[in-house]
Amino acid sequence: MRVLLVEDERRLAALVKSGLADEGFAVDVAHDGTEGLWMAEENAYDAIVLDVMLPRLNGYAVCRRLRDAGNWTPIMVLTAKDGEYDEAEALDTGADDFLSKPFSYVVLLARLRALVRRGGRERPVSLKVGDLVVDPAGMRCRRAGTDIALTPKEFAVLHGLARRAGEVVSKAELLEQAWDFAYDGDPSIVEVYISALRRKVDAPFGRSSIVTVRGAGYRLDGSR
């Protein structure tokens, strides 16, 4: 799952990004409201974690502009403020949830997963590709009624394929989905995770649903 974190406190942003990455999230970070708005408009995210007190453009304004533009990505507002009027303002501008600083990371993670589970207006809770079911909110996968244990990165790559089932997804697109906006490592890392997924998701069930399209990328085919 891909998350945009808009937070000007760089130490806090680094800590939250590290924690979410350990849970399998791909996290992009912006340190001011203008940059955050641009990234939210230019990229597809499963959720946005948005601070209120930001340089250049505050979080309320970012949230309002996204909603006015028809962007319904789930938004959680983070703020040092804790008054009921601040919470009401966040919700009135279109935010889906509100969390005051200082906050418990465990609570942040649970509420972020709940946001992803609810999703945007048109986002399904679970993705079904043939007999394969991918649940992005619970980070669960099962095939033919059998649960499949995946690492966070394996799940992220599978989710990237499942959300575009039947289409060819390039290595670059999978890197963007499962790692982060600034990843500059070896793109062949995708092949390692594709091989692992085939061993776990296809081979035990006698299936070959993860198809290599030479020179283009990979396709998840529920009929194979």
Side-chain angles (χ1 to χ4, degrees):
M1 291 171 283
R2 193 174 182 198
V3 173
L4 173 62
L5 172 62
V6 190
E7 170 59 66
D8 64 323
E9 295 181 36
R10 293 177 180 267
R11 182 174 179 275
L12 176 60
L15 289 172
V16 172
K17 176 177 180 176
S18 177
L20 292 178
D22 288 344
E23 297 293 331
F25 290 85
V27 184
D28 294 339
V29 178
H31 295 297
D32 65 66
T34 300
E35 181 186 21
L37 178 62
W38 177 82
M39 292 179 71
E41 292 174 333
E42 294 295 317
N43 302 284
Y45 293 100
D46 295 285
I48 299 171
V49 179
L50 178 65
D51 188 27
V52 167
M53 304 302 290
L54 293 167
R56 302 177 70 187
L57 193 66
N58 69 44
Y60 296 137
V62 172
C63 185
R64 185 180 296 108
R65 292 190 189 185
L66 288 174
R67 297 312 190 220
D68 287 346
N71 185 325
W72 291 98
T73 302
I75 295 176
M76 176 188 293
V77 167
L78 292 180
T79 178
K81 299 180 179 181
D82 59 2
E84 60 183 12
Y85 291 106
D86 299 312
E87 180 174 355
E89 184 174 358
L91 299 176
D92 285 344
T93 57
D96 299 277
D97 201 359
F98 178 96
L99 193 59
S100 297
K101 299 176 182 177
F103 55 82
S104 161
Y105 176 74
V106 173
V107 172
L108 169 66
L109 181 60
R111 292 172 75 164
L112 184 57
R113 283 178 170 159
L115 274 187
V116 174
R117 187 179 302 116
R118 293 199 301 268
R121 288 185 171 182
E122 299 180 356
R123 189 182 300 279
V125 174
S126 295
L127 303 172
K128 297 182 180 180
V129 185
D131 61 352
L132 178 66
V133 179
V134 179
D135 173 12
M139 291 188 67
R140 292 186 295 267
C141 171
R142 65 181 182 276
R143 169 157 256 168
T146 301
D147 290 334
I148 302 172
L150 300 177
T151 68
K153 273 291 183 281
E154 289 168 351
F155 185 89
V157 173
L158 180 62
H159 181 221
L161 294 171
R163 70 194 304 178
R164 292 178 54 190
E167 301 178 19
V168 176
V169 185
S170 69
K171 284 184 183 179
E173 290 171 320
L174 288 174
L175 282 170
E176 184 177 288
Q177 164 76 15
W179 278 261
D180 61 44
F181 186 75
Y183 179 80
D184 61 356
D186 187 349
S188 65
I189 189 67
V190 173
E191 298 171 17
V192 175
Y193 284 92
I194 290 292
S195 295
L197 286 172
R198 284 174 171 152
R199 290 194 300 270
K200 294 182 177 183
V201 174
D202 277 349
F205 302 91
R207 306 299 294 272
S208 56
S209 58
I210 302 175
V211 180
T212 298
V213 182
R214 293 194 179 280
Y218 304 93
R219 183 180 69 248
L220 187 61
D221 185 346
S223 66
R224 296 173 59 108

